[in-house]
Amino acid sequence: MVEPAVDLTHGHPHDDHAHHGPEGWKKYLWSTDHKVIAMQYMFTGMFMALVGGFMAYVFRMQLAFPGINVPGFGMVSMGEYNALVTNHGTIMIFWVAMPVLLAAFGNFLIPLMVGADDMVFPKINRLSFQVFFVSTIVILASLVVEGGGFAGAWTAYPPLSANETYNLTPLGSTLWVIGVGLEFVAFLLGGINFITTLMNSRAPGMRAFDVPLVVWMIVVASILFMLSVGPLLAGAIMLIFDQTLGTGFFNPATGGDPILWQHLFWFFGHPEVYVVLLPAMGVVIEIIATFSRKKVFGYRIVIFTVVATGVLSFFVWAHHQFIAGIDPRMANIFTITTLLISVPIAELCFVYIATLYGGSIRLTTPMLWALAFVAEFLIGGVTGIFLGAAGADIYFHDTYFVLAHFHYTFFPIAIIGTYAAFTYWFPKMFGKMMDERLGKWHFWLTIIPFNMIFIPLFVLGMGGQHRRISNYSGFSELARDGFQDIRVFATISLLIMLAAQFIFFYNCYKTWRSGPKAPRNPWKANSLEWTTESPPPHGNWHPDEMPVVYRGPYEFSVPDRIDDYWPQNEPPQRDS
Amino acid sequence: MGFFESWGHFFDRIGLIRIGSTYAADIDFLIFLVLVVVGVWFLAAELIFVYFIMKFREKGDGRRADYIDGKNKRHKRWITYPHLAVLVFDVLIIVVSFNVWHRVKMDLPENPDCVIRVTGQQWAWIIQHCGADGELDTADDIYTVDELHVENEKLYHFRLEATDVLHSFSVPVWRIKQDAIPGRSITGWFQPTVTGQFDLQCAEICGFGHTVMQGQVFVESAEEHAAWVEANTPVEAPAPATDNTPSSG
């Protein structure tokens, strides 16, 4: 085995900009430190989650009690309802899942886990957040301009989105497209950093297959994003032209085609599912390995499977369009590719379950979130099979079955995955240990109501309830008493779940005030971020402590060792 | 076919949604098949998952975790075999799905009893019925708004169009759904099997009034339908609708 050369100069000492950089609030505004940028992304994303959650509260109240004066909002008109569901979807995907999972944890974890002092391009990283921040202001502004926010669904299908005489929101819809476009630019800038940092800044001795899986997955996700976003950015510019200059890219009367947008959108939109899924899956496998004290079952299988999933995800987009008027023969091809993607995803789930086998499992709060991710995501996965089979999609398309299905994928990703990551790396990020008892209350009061919201919605979907309707009383089959009871039940469950989030905020506040100080490695994990102080200093390690890597990140419970973990940077015993 | 027919009526029998057309039971059978296949997988996976968590939970007895890296063939087959089995079940679902898809969306049955034109606009369905002669675009066509009148057991072709934005023609009891696209005319078919009054939805968001785009289908017996046609046939032949080009926006 080749002994890695010890290079203590790896990673420049950060003295120069640590001492002469901006001070006070400017330090946070103009910081190029990846950890500060990660926090900026995280807190912006969590603020937007509150906005998106409030929207869900308002429209679920309207659905359960049509015509009610919703406390904190007022009466919900049909137009406002459409704007609420549109922006709930847009915000939760582009301003919550993406910034928190990909940008915040990508930024925080990649340099720390590969043993680098910062990203390769710190200023591009800062620019990435600044563009993202502008995009956040644009999307929030779009909600309050004259005519109201965009109300044509988060998929923004033209001609509705392209023509103000149809959507009645001339400013809102243009700002919506500009906001989404800027957000894509921000993540393109961030993605460049993720990929380059993994390739070029690994600690001495760290080979490709010594990199923790979460880093692999975030980088594969960044590559998927960068490859898929181009067509959608082109489409977004065409859409802005249609809206503001009166061009006809999507207008059949002037030779355009509304279906073109759907192809551009979903060519991005489906890989996007995996862009947010992979970081969450990476987080989960890190946590499962640590808290079952087990090596990941088939490290390389996971990487190859993830890459295969990524490649396959570019060939499934038209399953969103089976009944949209595409050539019906295409449905056959996309049914095959869509069902095939169940194979690698099932394989990942099997790997996760197999990693538990023979473990010594500790049910800490982060572990509970990670296990819940697997259990809940399975429901999202298997219900996707119904929709991927074109014959069944004829009935299910645009019903609450679809809605419940993708909430069973996105909620585990964006909420469960985020809480798993947040509670696991909280000691490293803030240097304090969170309260486990409050953490478990928060966990159970989120998971149980979550299922009580969305399992009933599967039933409504099978009963034929179609989406984006503010009041079902005019549909005889959907206005049945039983169905209305289900809607009320789901809404009350949502209220419980939203209320439970205050436990989390209280826990954060309490920990910040009086939580016990976190040691360097509270979970006895192996990867490099646990070898530095909590929280890590500027530059991540003191210049004379830059890590050197001797082994992979999952050497737990190695036979003949006293400790059941073996940090990546611990030199091998020469004499034993 | 009797076996498939009976399981195809599962969702009808439990009172969730009625079977109202010739192909509705095919679609329901496919859904039921997927439900059984993925249901078994799902339950098995969740049970093993929970069992592992219980069994391998740290109990304070000092037992250490096993060191298994998953490279060993004997271990790897616990992943490989289930994953091949997933593939086999995928193929089963694909084959049945193809059959259903071809029946509903690709193989248009010939010689319809009547051809109708359905036009979506913000926010209503404009229906052009074939009238007594069974032909479209003739003098006896009957125009209605948000009301589709059909005769039970008859084979219908429809031409689906839209004047402004996307709409989606959806009748849940018939299990039919098809987007309407401005600038195109999409042909499809249905054959109702149950008389009654059912919802006609627009399943694609179409702007401010999407919620109130509510229609009804009236599936009538031969006598009722004949009476309706007679009562509604225009006395003076209206000018045939020739201009179906969408308005530019």
Side-chain angles (χ1 to χ4, degrees):
Chain A
M1 181 177 155
V2 182
E3 195 69 14
V6 180
D7 177 11
L8 291 180
T9 59
H10 164 78
H12 322 283
H14 263 251
D15 291 12
D16 45 359
H17 50 276
H19 285 244
H20 303 291
E23 292 297 323
W25 61 272
K26 281 187 181 165
K27 192 173 135 195
Y28 292 95
L29 202 59
W30 299 106
S31 175
T32 53
D33 186 330
H34 70 100
K35 300 184 289 297
V36 175
I37 293 169
M39 293 303 142
Q40 291 169 333
Y41 265 119
M42 176 124 55
F43 292 127
T44 315
M46 284 185 167
F47 169 75
M48 292 303 274
L50 293 177
V51 176
F54 178 76
M55 290 172 165
Y57 151 77
V58 174
F59 63 69
R60 278 303 327 171
M61 288 297 280
Q62 159 69 19
L63 283 171
F65 314 105
I68 191 183
N69 199 334
V70 180
F73 186 86
M75 301 274 279
V76 184
S77 74
M78 287 193 295
E80 283 166 340
Y81 181 88
N82 291 346
L84 285 167
V85 294
T86 300
N87 287 288
H88 168 77
T90 310
I91 285 174
M92 286 302 194
I93 290 174
F94 293 131
W95 275 273
V96 177
M98 294 279 286
V100 174
L101 272 170
L102 192 65
F105 286 105
N107 260 309
F108 186 78
L109 295 176
I110 290 176
L112 279 167
M113 284 186 138
V114 303
D117 59 339
D118 204 331
M119 287 286 181
V120 168
F121 308 119
K123 286 184 180 167
I124 290 184
N125 209 14
R126 184 182 68 192
L127 182 64
S128 159
F129 176 74
Q130 288 167 339
V131 174
F132 173 74
F133 192 75
V134 173
S135 80
T136 310
I137 292 171
V138 172
I139 195 76
L140 288 175
S142 83
L143 301 174
V144 293
V145 292
E146 197 181 345
F150 177 54
W154 82 283
T155 50
Y157 284 180
L160 181 62
S161 59
N163 192 323
E164 63 184 76
T165 57
Y166 298 146
N167 60 39
L168 310 175
T169 55
L171 279 170
S173 45
T174 303
L175 285 177
W176 184 91
V177 188
I178 292 171
V180 172
L182 282 173
E183 200 258 10
F184 292 157
V185 173
F187 287 121
L188 277 172
L189 292 168
I192 292 168
N193 255 317
F194 293 176
I195 298 164
T196 329
T197 305
L198 173 67
M199 285 167 72
N200 293 329
S201 290
R202 296 195 305 277
M206 183 178 264
R207 295 161 302 173
F209 291 123
D210 295 331
V211 175
L213 283 170
V214 65
V215 175
W216 266 104
M217 294 208 190
I218 290 174
V219 169
V220 172
S222 301
I223 295 171
L224 291 182
F225 180 79
M226 297 179 94
L227 291 177
S228 62
V229 78
L232 183 56
L233 265 176
I237 289 167
M238 290 190 245
L239 189 55
I240 292 177
F241 282 0
D242 272 15
Q243 287 173 344
T244 57
L245 305 179
T247 55
F249 290 108
F250 305 121
N251 181 356
T254 54
D257 186 357
I259 306 296
L260 170 64
W261 167 267
Q262 299 181 16
H263 287 294
L264 297 174
F265 184 88
W266 289 116
F267 183 81
F268 161 81
H270 206 85
E272 166 71 11
V273 175
Y274 298 91
V275 170
V276 289
L277 168 64
L278 293 182
M281 291 208 99
V283 163
V284 165
I285 192 67
E286 296 294 330
I287 295 171
I288 287 181
T290 300
F291 290 113
S292 54
R293 315 309 290 166
K294 271 285 305 292
K295 195 176 167 86
V296 169
F297 188 96
Y299 173 93
R300 291 189 190 205
I301 297 179
V302 174
I303 293 173
F304 297 139
T305 308
V306 163
V307 173
T309 310
V311 173
L312 209 48
S313 75
F314 282 96
F315 301 95
V316 298
W317 80 88
H319 66 216
H320 297 270
Q321 301 164 254
F322 283 149
I323 61 138
I326 59 171
D327 186 328
R329 289 171 300 175
M330 258 163 79
N332 289 338
I333 295 162
F334 282 93
T335 295
I336 295 174
T337 55
T338 302
L339 290 196
L340 277 185
I341 212 164
S342 70
V343 174
I345 291 293
E347 183 151 321
L348 283 178
C349 288
F350 295 151
V351 163
Y352 286 25
I353 295 171
T355 301
L356 292 171
Y357 178 86
S360 173
I361 296 169
R362 286 113 214 243
L363 293 180
T364 58
T365 308
M367 183 63 162
L368 285 176
W369 287 113
L371 295 174
F373 173 90
V374 179
E376 304 290 355
F377 184 77
L378 265 171
I379 301 180
V382 296
T383 51
I385 306 281
F386 292 86
L387 305 167
D393 188 61
I394 298 168
Y395 180 52
F396 282 139
H397 182 85
D398 257 325
T399 63
Y400 268 58
F401 193 92
V402 178
L403 183 145
H405 154 71
F406 71 70
H407 278 88
Y408 262 105
T409 61
F410 273 113
F411 188 92
I413 292 169
I415 310 297
I416 299 180
T418 297
Y419 280 136
F422 192 83
T423 50
Y424 182 64
W425 279 290
F426 186 92
K428 186 55 62 184
M429 289 189 283
F430 301 103
K432 301 240 173 141
M433 300 301 288
M434 290 183 89
D435 188 306
E436 280 283 302
R437 209 167 62 90
L438 284 175
K440 283 177 184 164
W441 273 103
H442 172 230
F443 169 80
W444 289 110
L445 286 175
T446 302
I447 288 296
I448 295 170
F450 160 65
N451 288 287
M452 287 171 14
I453 298 167
F454 290 105
I455 286 179
L457 299 191
F458 279 119
V459 178
L460 291 180
M462 296 190 100
Q465 177 169 316
H466 52 323
R467 294 171 63 189
R468 296 159 181 154
I469 300 292
S470 67
N471 185 344
Y472 290 95
S473 57
F475 296 93
S476 56
E477 288 148 26
L478 303 176
R480 291 190 250 171
D481 285 348
F483 278 15
Q484 193 57 32
D485 292 345
I486 292 177
R487 285 179 206 119
V488 173
F489 182 82
T491 298
I492 291 172
S493 306
L494 174 77
L495 295 179
I496 297 171
M497 191 180 83
L498 289 177
Q501 304 317 303
F502 288 103
I503 303 175
F504 170 74
F505 292 119
Y506 174 68
N507 193 358
C508 289
Y509 171 76
K510 182 169 169 265
T511 308
W512 175 66
R513 285 295 300 266
S514 59
K517 207 173 162 342
R520 286 192 175 207
N521 190 359
W523 313 123
K524 298 197 182 343
N526 292 338
S527 42
L528 293 178
E529 78 273 24
W530 303 109
T531 66
T532 185
E533 291 167 20
S534 305
H538 192 58
N540 294 345
W541 284 268
H542 293 293
D544 55 349
E545 279 187 354
M546 291 306 286
V548 175
V549 169
Y550 298 93
R551 64 188 64 77
Y554 304 112
E555 296 304 311
F556 289 105
S557 306
V558 177
D560 306 327
R561 264 181 66 83
I562 297 163
D563 289 334
D564 66 352
Y565 67 113
W566 202 357
Q568 285 189 277
N569 69 335
E570 190 178 302
Q573 297 287 321
R574 281 272 158 207
D575 47 358
S576 63
Chain B
M1 202 55 203
F3 173 78
F4 296 125
E5 283 279 305
S6 79
W7 287 113
H9 284 74
F10 180 77
F11 300 106
D12 188 338
R13 240 185 273 140
I14 63 173
L16 203 52
I17 180 83
R18 296 192 66 178
I19 296 274
S21 75
T22 48
Y23 49 60
D26 295 346
I27 292 180
D28 279 19
F29 172 71
L30 171 61
I31 295 170
F32 187 77
L33 174 81
V34 180
L35 183 70
V36 170
V37 169
V38 305
V40 168
W41 273 103
F42 170 72
L43 287 177
E46 296 278 6
L47 284 175
I48 294 170
F49 180 67
V50 172
Y51 171 73
F52 279 5
I53 295 172
M54 305 290 216
K55 181 163 166 36
F56 297 109
R57 200 171 158 183
E58 199 230 343
K59 299 181 182 78
D61 55 2
R63 189 189 65 85
R64 278 174 69 138
D66 299 336
Y67 185 79
I68 303 168
D69 60 11
K71 286 181 188 154
N72 184 319
K73 268 229 168 77
R74 207 163 49 82
H75 293 144
K76 227 194 267 182
R77 65 181 181 205
W78 285 98
I79 301 289
T80 322
Y81 291 165
H83 135 224
L84 287 174
V86 169
L87 195 60
V88 171
F89 283 111
D90 275 353
V91 172
L92 172 70
I93 293 169
I94 287 170
V95 168
V96 178
S97 176
F98 272 21
N99 271 323
V100 174
W101 180 260
H102 275 257
R103 169 131 200 247
V104 179
K105 292 283 184 185
M106 292 182 75
D107 306 333
L108 190 67
E110 287 173 12
N111 305 320
D113 298 303
C114 172
V115 182
I116 60 170
R117 175 174 284 117
V118 179
T119 307
Q121 67 171 52
Q122 284 181 327
W123 294 285
W125 292 108
I126 311 298
I127 317 277
Q128 182 183 356
H129 298 81
C130 58
D133 62 357
E135 304 276 324
L136 199 60
D137 295 330
T138 51
D140 67 345
D141 287 357
I142 303 169
Y143 290 82
T144 57
V145 176
D146 285 339
E147 280 191 14
L148 169 57
H149 289 261
V150 295
E151 186 182 332
N152 197 20
E153 309 285 355
K154 291 284 190 234
L155 175 64
Y156 282 80
H157 281 190
F158 61 82
R159 310 226 187 288
L160 185 57
E161 293 163 14
T163 55
D164 37 38
V165 301
L166 301 181
H167 300 274
S168 191
F169 176 73
S170 169
V171 181
V173 291
W174 293 347
R175 308 291 187 276
I176 191 174
K177 195 173 288 146
Q178 176 63 53
D179 283 7
I181 302 160
R184 294 194 202 180
S185 178
I186 295 170
T187 302
W189 70 283
F190 58 82
Q191 190 168 5
T193 55
V194 176
T195 57
Q197 186 181 338
F198 306 108
D199 284 344
L200 163 58
Q201 305 172 344
C202 171
E204 185 68 64
I205 190 165
C206 55
F208 184 87
H210 176 53
T211 293
V212 291
M213 193 156 167
Q214 301 165 347
Q216 298 286 314
V217 296
F218 298 86
V219 186
E220 294 148 351
S221 65
E223 304 81 55
E224 285 168 346
H225 189 67
W228 180 81
V229 170
E230 198 181 349
N232 288 279
T233 301
V235 185
E236 298 235 21
T242 50
D243 182 16
N244 283 303
T245 50
S247 56
S248 66

